[in-house]
Amino acid sequence: MSFLPLTSRTLRTLPKRQCLSPFRTTTRTLTSKSPSTPQLDPISLHRLEATRRAYYKRRTLYSASGFLVGMACIWVTATSIEIPPPSKLDSSRSSNSLSSSSPVTILPPSSSSPPTTKETEDEEHIPTGTSTIPSFPKTLHFSDTPSTHPNEPYQLLGLGIRTVSFLHIQVYVLGLYISPSSIPTLQTSLLQLAAPNGASTLVANEKDALKAMLLDPARSEEIWSAILKNPEIKSIVRIVPTRNTDFHHLRDAWVRSLTARAQKNREEFGDEAFGKAMGEFKALFNRGSVPKGRELLLSRDESGKLGVWYEDGVNGSQRLGEVRDERISRGIWLGYLAGANVSSEEARRSVVEGVMRFVERPVGSVEGMVTV
């Protein structure tokens, strides 16, 4: 046993003495024990998920039903309620617009001249498919210069309804009429296209091929452009609104079509003369309202000159003016007959069906025999 003094190393090796508190206090909490959260089994979770899905499915169904009912109410309101025409027929901005546009010749009708159109009780009428304008006359008696030339009976080639928006709201009924003297020229042009070997009529497969070309977006543009450039074809587009509208709305649709056509073919429509003709065309329609059932005629003579006639129900049919540049009338006619998006697909197909009756008979044998 060593009696050497304790060093720091030996002190570290000694066990530490624990200091015990002389008093031991016991603390008891007075809070109640919280209940444990119940655990959901998989079956309960599946039922909750199915209930949640059914809830959102019902919400979707109710929302879709409300949307459809609302759109149906809008359609019924737009097609059933008649809006009375304004008391002032001429627009307040017409004078300013006319002064700023290119000059246009306005030819008032002669007081002694007969009306440009004549529909007698015994004339045959063709149903249009709408109760607002139930029928169109099969024959339209018209003369662009009634003071010097007598009325000529134009034959109905086809008709249809112009609609807008996905609701197919009807705007007007249009019919394409052709002069009987122009029918042989139209026949010859179609026969030369479908049967270049000089046939006087077409057989079944040739007629089907011609019909397909007239309905094709690209080929129809070429065919009708060539036909309308022929200086011997006279035709009329007759328009009768199915609801109250105005000249500006009618004009804007034609202007958009002409502008789109000019942008696609700047080589033909990009000159200054066409821009001036567009100004004259716009000035013709700087007017007021067009009530439901009133007649608007767009005539195209041998030179392609566009004439505009309007029957206001008071003064009879009046000549509003003309545009001599044939590209204006040709562009409007092509908007109904050719391309991918025509103004009335129903009218185009009706015209094509009328044209197909021409090629079933020899040239010159179908004058006055057009049926729709």
Side-chain angles (χ1 to χ4, degrees):
M1 181 175 183
S2 174
F3 294 96
L4 295 176
L6 297 176
T7 62
S8 59
R9 179 176 297 179
T10 56
L11 290 176
R12 285 197 298 267
T13 58
L14 293 177
K16 296 181 179 180
R17 299 178 61 184
Q18 296 182 355
C19 181
L20 299 177
S21 175
F23 302 99
R24 182 181 296 271
T25 59
T26 302
T27 305
R28 177 179 295 181
T29 59
L30 300 178
T31 58
S32 61
K33 185 178 181 181
S34 59
S36 60
T37 303
Q39 298 295 328
L40 296 178
D41 57 276
I43 297 178
S44 299
L45 290 175
H46 177 73
R47 291 176 179 175
L48 289 175
E49 181 66 19
T51 303
R52 188 182 68 86
R53 290 181 180 177
Y55 167 74
Y56 284 108
K57 185 177 181 180
R58 287 194 302 271
R59 287 189 58 182
T60 303
L61 180 62
Y62 294 155
S63 299
S65 301
F67 173 77
L68 294 177
V69 171
M71 297 306 296
C73 292
I74 293 175
W75 181 82
V76 171
T77 303
T79 56
S80 301
I81 298 179
E82 298 295 339
I83 302 177
S87 57
K88 187 177 181 180
L89 294 180
D90 290 333
S91 174
S92 59
R93 59 177 179 175
S94 60
S95 58
N96 297 332
S97 301
L98 283 172
S99 61
S100 60
S101 303
S102 301
V104 59
T105 304
I106 305 296
L107 303 178
S110 175
S111 58
S112 60
S113 63
T116 58
T117 61
K118 177 184 177 183
E119 299 177 19
T120 59
E121 294 295 334
D122 56 348
E123 284 182 344
E124 183 180 355
H125 284 67
I126 307 299
T128 61
T130 176
S131 59
T132 309
I133 309 296
S135 63
F136 260 34
K138 181 180 177 181
T139 304
L140 188 67
H141 298 269
F142 175 83
S143 174
D144 193 46
T145 55
S147 59
T148 57
H149 295 82
N151 288 343
E152 183 179 358
Y154 282 68
Q155 302 294 323
L156 180 62
L157 186 59
L159 56 83
I161 303 174
R162 158 77 167 164
T163 60
V164 295
S165 82
F166 68 95
L167 295 175
H168 298 286
I169 299 176
Q170 297 179 358
V171 181
Y172 57 78
V173 182
L174 68 103
L176 179 63
Y177 291 79
I178 186 170
S179 170
S181 60
S182 303
I183 293 178
T185 304
L186 180 59
Q187 274 185 288
T188 303
S189 301
L190 294 172
L191 290 173
Q192 290 177 352
L193 176 68
N197 55 359
S200 59
T201 58
L202 298 181
V203 296
N205 59 341
E206 292 174 336
K207 289 190 296 183
D208 293 339
L210 176 61
K211 184 176 181 179
M213 287 188 292
L214 292 175
L215 295 176
D216 181 75
R219 292 289 290 143
S220 62
E221 188 89 18
E222 300 174 4
I223 295 171
W224 285 114
S225 294
I227 292 176
L228 292 173
K229 288 180 181 179
N230 194 312
E232 299 180 5
I233 295 180
K234 298 185 297 181
S235 56
I236 296 174
V237 173
R238 182 177 189 256
I239 295 173
V240 180
T242 59
R243 60 195 316 103
N244 295 330
T245 182
D246 57 57
F247 282 97
H248 293 97
H249 288 159
L250 296 174
R251 178 197 64 186
D252 292 344
W254 292 320
V255 169
R256 286 194 299 268
S257 176
L258 290 170
T259 303
R261 195 171 302 278
Q263 291 176 350
K264 291 192 300 184
N265 189 357
R266 295 183 180 275
E267 182 178 354
E268 182 179 2
F269 297 93
D271 58 345
E272 184 179 352
F274 181 76
K276 182 179 179 180
M278 283 286 289
E280 296 177 357
F281 176 74
K282 293 178 182 179
L284 286 178
F285 294 89
N286 277 328
R287 301 174 184 273
S289 64
V290 181
K292 177 184 69 176
R294 299 305 181 195
E295 180 187 68
L296 180 67
L297 297 181
L298 305 179
S299 64
R300 194 172 194 269
D301 65 2
E302 302 92 334
S303 63
K305 179 183 65 178
L306 174 69
V308 181
W309 297 78
Y310 175 61
E311 192 274 317
D312 60 358
V314 178
N315 301 317
S317 186
Q318 298 181 353
R319 195 173 195 271
L320 304 183
E322 63 183 33
V323 180
R324 293 186 173 274
D325 194 324
E326 67 89 19
R327 292 174 292 183
I328 298 295
S329 61
R330 173 156 52 97
I332 296 175
W333 264 240
L334 289 176
Y336 293 116
L337 299 173
N341 299 314
V342 293
S343 298
S344 173
E345 183 64 29
E346 179 185 1
R348 171 164 70 170
R349 292 186 176 274
S350 178
V351 170
V352 171
E353 292 295 334
V355 165
M356 298 311 298
R357 296 186 181 93
F358 290 166
V359 297
E360 295 175 352
R361 304 177 65 89
V363 176
S365 63
V366 294
E367 295 186 31
M369 299 180 61
V370 181
T371 58
V372 180

